[in-house]
Amino acid sequence: MAAAPEEAVKQFSALMELLEEPLKTTFENVHQGYPRGTLVRFLKAREWNVPKAHKMLMDCLNWRIQNGIDSVLAKPIVPSDLYRAIRDTLLVGLTGYSKQGQPVYAFGVGLSTLDKASVHYYVQSHIQMNEYRDRVVLPAASTMFMKRINTCLKVMDMTGLRLSALNQIKMLSTITAIDDLNYPEKTETYYIVNAPYVFSACWKVVKPLLQERTKKKVNVLCGSGRDELLKVMDYESLPHFCKREGSGSSSDSSDGVDCYSYDHPFHQQLYNYIKLQALNQDSHAPIRQGSLHVDVPTPDLEEAKIRETIESELHNMIGPNGLSQTFSRIKVEGP
């Protein structure tokens, strides 16, 4: 039975005071000096049920220890050409901050091909992005806006999404499982823009499967969503694909480099940070090539059901002849 929020936090805090090494150190790396915020996130993810939230957090801490997550920011993906290829095929970048100070991340879901490296490299890159957000970006935002910033906003561009996305579901499910079970409640709102029919059809069947808390986080916007997004962020923080109606995922940006690019300042800072951490860890040893192999958590029942439903819906749309096509964009007026 779920406890009242304050009582739940109190009970959870008492349990976490019993932590011993190495769990204690990895928990410090997770909460970054703000343990209460971390406990609240895990409690929200388990509907304020203390035993379930405690189990979820303990599973997360053990996963971190078993997979060396605490040192993942000292394991650069080399050579740099490989990292560039990952950036070209897993489209994500930091575009700025919301009016409330939350980092704004852009994701090119529809145009991410995830086909230039092994699954291990994509998972490693995604985890590094998460850890850099939690250890560097969010603390910096908190300092910049002089208040605790513990979540981000994500703008998901569906331009180019095709029925062939069925081939990418396993990879995307892997990334989602890692986030849901080890980085819960780090995203305040997901804004879906440039949604084609294939997304809308899947969203229609998936939405009823989601918890109410999750549904409220997803905001499907009309077209590029520019006008709605300008209510929560300034024009300078808009992802490049939202700055003009009908612009789609154009690579145009104010400085000529879109936020996904390896050459964008955010990705240069991230990559240089990881290389520096590697050198500081062992200044005499050369940086080793090879991906980090991470055990992927088993998705919970809700996540597994959603994946199964999406696969079924996409198979239905492809039809018995196996033909795939891109659907024209339609207007969507709300989640």
Side-chain angles (χ1 to χ4, degrees):
M1 183 176 179
E6 283 305 316
E7 180 61 26
V9 174
K10 183 178 179 181
Q11 293 176 18
F12 203 175
S13 296
L15 289 172
M16 298 309 291
E17 288 175 1
L18 303 175
L19 281 182
E20 296 181 353
E21 295 295 350
L23 293 169
K24 185 176 180 180
T25 294
T26 200
F27 181 51
E28 290 171 353
N29 285 327
V30 171
H31 69 61
Q32 292 291 304
Y34 187 47
R36 177 187 169 84
T38 296
L39 300 185
V40 168
R41 289 195 295 107
F42 279 81
L43 283 165
K44 284 182 178 179
R46 288 297 177 261
E47 304 297 329
W48 299 94
N49 184 301
V50 177
K52 290 182 179 180
H54 180 252
K55 181 183 184 305
M56 182 186 188
L57 181 51
M58 294 303 294
D59 287 346
C60 167
L61 298 182
N62 281 302
W63 172 81
R64 294 179 66 89
I65 292 168
Q66 292 162 9
N67 292 280
I69 303 301
D70 289 341
S71 60
V72 72
L73 288 180
K75 294 180 170 62
I77 294 173
V78 291
S80 59
D81 283 348
L82 175 59
Y83 187 71
R84 182 186 291 275
I86 291 171
R87 293 278 58 85
D88 288 343
T89 52
L90 175 57
L91 304 180
V92 56
L94 179 68
T95 66
Y97 300 87
S98 73
K99 294 176 181 179
Q100 297 300 316
Q102 296 149 315
V104 177
Y105 285 89
F107 287 79
V109 179
L111 295 177
S112 290
T113 56
L114 306 168
D115 60 354
K116 296 299 183 183
S118 72
V119 62
H120 301 294
Y121 278 118
Y122 285 111
V123 168
Q124 177 179 346
S125 178
H126 180 73
I127 292 173
Q128 287 176 332
M129 197 84 67
N130 283 351
E131 292 291 316
Y132 189 74
R133 173 198 63 201
D134 295 348
R135 300 192 214 178
V136 178
V137 176
L138 289 172
S142 298
T143 299
M144 188 187 315
F145 289 89
M146 295 183 290
K147 63 179 181 179
R148 173 65 62 176
I149 306 293
N150 202 37
T151 59
C152 65
L153 304 181
K154 293 182 179 178
V155 185
M156 320 290 283
D157 180 26
M158 298 296 166
T159 296
L161 189 66
R162 299 169 182 267
L163 289 178
S164 56
L166 184 62
N167 300 326
Q168 300 168 21
I169 283 183
K170 184 176 181 180
M171 170 74 78
L172 296 175
S173 295
T174 295
I175 289 174
T176 300
I178 289 172
D179 286 355
D180 287 349
L181 298 177
N182 298 290
Y183 303 92
E185 301 295 321
K186 296 300 293 190
T187 301
E188 186 77 19
T189 308
Y190 296 88
Y191 295 101
I192 311 297
V193 303
N194 299 318
Y197 175 78
V198 63
F199 169 82
S200 303
C202 289
W203 176 240
K204 184 177 180 179
V205 296
V206 166
K207 185 177 178 182
L209 304 177
L210 300 177
Q211 296 179 4
E212 196 60 36
R213 170 179 53 82
T214 305
K215 290 180 190 177
K216 291 179 180 178
K217 286 185 173 188
V218 180
N219 195 346
V220 185
L221 304 181
C222 181
S224 71
R226 180 190 58 189
D227 293 342
E228 287 298 312
L229 290 172
L230 285 174
K231 296 177 182 178
V232 297
M233 66 188 74
D234 293 331
Y235 182 83
E236 291 72 19
S237 293
L238 283 177
H240 57 276
F241 49 79
C242 297
K243 289 189 173 180
R244 295 197 316 272
E245 282 294 338
S247 62
S249 281
S250 164
S251 61
D252 294 336
S253 63
S254 58
D255 57 4
V257 178
D258 73 47
C259 65
Y260 303 145
S261 173
Y262 168 86
D263 297 312
H264 189 274
F266 167 71
H267 286 298
Q268 285 292 298
Q269 291 164 11
L270 167 59
Y271 195 52
N272 288 334
Y273 178 92
I274 296 172
K275 289 191 293 184
L276 181 60
Q277 296 301 306
L279 291 173
N280 289 340
Q281 192 174 78
D282 191 344
S283 59
H284 300 292
I287 296 175
R288 295 181 179 179
Q289 296 188 28
S291 61
L292 176 71
H293 287 229
V294 174
D295 295 328
V296 178
T298 302
D300 58 25
L301 291 177
E302 180 189 40
E303 178 67 30
K305 179 64 176 176
I306 289 170
R307 174 179 169 177
E308 179 184 325
T309 301
I310 292 174
E311 288 179 338
S312 175
E313 185 65 19
L314 288 175
H315 276 302
N316 289 339
M317 285 188 282
I318 290 173
N321 59 9
L323 295 178
S324 175
Q325 60 181 318
T326 302
F327 290 94
S328 59
R329 185 179 304 160
I330 63 170
K331 295 293 184 180
V332 182
E333 303 203 349

